[in-house]
Amino acid sequence: MENEKNGKKRRIFVELLIAGLSVAAGVLGGSFAQNKYIESQVANVTGDGNTVTINNVDDLVENFNKLMKENETLKEQNEDYYTDYKEAKETIESLEVQLGDSPSIELKDLSLCVDGEDKNINKNQSYAVINGTDYFSEDFLNSIISENTAITIKDDVMYLGKVVADREKLFSQRIVDEGGASMVDNATDSYGNTHVNVLSLKYGNDIVFSLNEKYSLLKLKIAIDESSDSNGQCTLTVLADGQEVWTSPQLNKISTKELDYPDLKINNCSRLEIKCSGDGWVYPLVYDAEVYN
């Protein structure tokens, strides 16, 4: 009687072991054949039910671990597929929105006549109306603008004629003639302020920069060097291609604090000249000088 009870307990244990392994394999995506394999590795209880025999423990454990790894890989792949699906869905939804906002485009053939003179242009679809705004072909533009005017598109800007340049440091431009002037790393003005990258001048100095017609405006700051004589005075003059475009007021060590002169017109000159005149013992400093448009 006792042996019969023990046999039933062994059978229940074996059945639970088989069921547990099968459920784990099934949850992780294991196939029916894999479940049957696990069952085949556990022997039925025989005899008095006191002994449970595993046909091949190593093989059972190895294949079960392999099954676990394979199903973990499948799980990761499923997560990747779901992520790809979400991204594809978002892309499709975005495209659907764009299609819903498609612009209204109307193309027309249009000829051109300027001051009673017919212009020879390709009128085929030369005029477009997009969302209520008029657009004309490049032929229209070329026919309206004079032949010697260049058309350049750069950084989302259309330039007619000269292509203007970005703001640059004046002292980084090529020096054609130093004319006795000096570029110094730093200098102290008559009020004790130190400035860096400074143009130091004195009477008779005349420095010339090459700008290649790229800039229309000049900005500069002026002070007087601390070593200047207290009784002297001087002026600075800016010339664009030899034409005087600006002259400073009288500068001296006592009353001249830092002077800031923005937006001095230099007329897209090729050569920019800065000239110092006045007493020989007053030394003006020029710094923070920039050319721009």
Side-chain angles (χ1 to χ4, degrees):
M1 190 67 175
E2 186 67 27
N3 288 339
E4 183 178 348
K5 289 181 179 179
N6 290 336
K8 288 181 179 180
K9 291 180 180 179
R10 299 299 184 196
R11 290 189 190 93
I12 292 171
F13 171 76
V14 172
E15 290 171 357
L16 289 173
L17 174 63
I18 293 171
L21 294 174
S22 299
V23 168
V27 170
L28 293 172
S31 66
F32 175 76
Q34 289 168 325
N35 294 343
K36 297 302 292 182
Y37 165 77
I38 293 172
E39 292 180 9
S40 70
Q41 299 305 305
V42 182
N44 294 326
V45 178
T46 58
D48 59 6
N50 292 324
T51 303
V52 176
T53 303
I54 303 299
N55 294 340
N56 189 328
V57 175
D58 291 340
D59 191 33
L60 173 65
V61 173
E62 180 182 349
N63 281 275
F64 182 75
N65 288 336
K66 180 180 179 182
L67 174 66
M68 294 287 286
K69 291 180 180 179
E70 289 176 352
N71 282 284
E72 186 64 31
T73 300
L74 288 172
K75 182 180 177 183
E76 292 175 357
Q77 290 177 347
N78 286 336
E79 291 175 351
D80 291 340
Y81 293 151
Y82 182 68
T83 300
D84 292 343
Y85 161 74
K86 287 180 64 179
E87 291 177 352
K89 184 179 178 183
E90 291 173 358
T91 301
I92 292 171
E93 291 174 350
S94 175
L95 291 173
E96 288 176 345
V97 171
Q98 292 179 29
L99 288 173
D101 296 335
S102 296
S104 170
I105 302 176
E106 183 181 3
L107 299 177
K108 296 181 179 181
D109 297 344
L110 191 66
S111 301
L112 176 65
C113 181
V114 179
D115 293 332
E117 179 185 352
D118 291 332
K119 295 295 182 179
N120 183 22
I121 67 168
N122 180 11
K123 70 175 186 178
N124 182 37
Q125 296 185 349
S126 58
Y127 171 54
V129 181
I130 303 177
N131 289 342
T133 302
D134 297 333
Y135 295 88
F136 298 91
S137 69
E138 186 177 353
D139 269 0
F140 266 82
L141 194 59
N142 289 331
S143 298
I144 294 172
I145 298 170
S146 61
E147 294 182 358
N148 58 356
T149 300
I151 300 176
T152 306
I153 298 177
K154 178 184 177 183
D155 298 330
D156 298 327
V157 177
M158 175 179 286
Y159 296 94
L160 301 180
K162 299 172 182 176
V163 179
V164 297
D166 296 329
R167 182 182 292 258
E168 297 285 351
K169 298 293 185 182
L170 174 62
F171 302 153
S172 68
Q173 306 303 305
R174 187 171 70 88
I175 297 177
V176 178
D177 184 0
E178 290 189 2
S182 302
M183 294 299 307
V184 296
D185 293 335
N186 57 77
T188 303
D189 65 28
S190 57
Y191 283 81
N193 303 305
T194 299
H195 311 284
V196 297
N197 195 22
V198 176
L199 171 64
S200 177
L201 300 119
K202 62 182 180 180
Y203 170 76
N205 288 169
D206 186 3
I207 189 169
V208 180
F209 298 90
S210 175
L211 301 184
N212 295 316
E213 302 181 353
K214 294 191 295 183
Y215 308 100
S216 60
L217 298 171
L218 167 69
K219 165 188 172 293
L220 50 79
K221 292 182 178 180
I222 301 172
I224 299 298
D225 192 286
E226 64 176 350
S227 63
S228 300
D229 189 277
S230 299
N231 298 317
Q233 59 183 9
C234 68
T235 58
L236 292 180
T237 303
V238 174
L239 299 95
D241 289 332
Q243 300 297 314
E244 184 176 314
V245 293
W246 176 81
T247 299
S248 74
Q250 292 287 338
L251 309 171
N252 61 73
K253 183 177 181 178
I254 302 300
S255 62
T256 301
K257 297 183 179 180
E258 178 178 83
L259 302 175
D260 188 359
Y261 294 101
D263 301 337
L264 302 178
K265 295 182 179 180
I266 55 175
N267 307 325
N268 294 99
C269 61
S270 294
R271 294 160 63 95
L272 181 72
E273 188 175 348
I274 300 177
K275 179 186 295 186
C276 178
S277 58
D279 297 323
W281 50 89
V282 181
Y283 313 118
L285 306 174
V286 179
Y287 50 95
D288 290 349
E290 297 178 332
V291 284
Y292 53 99
N293 291 285

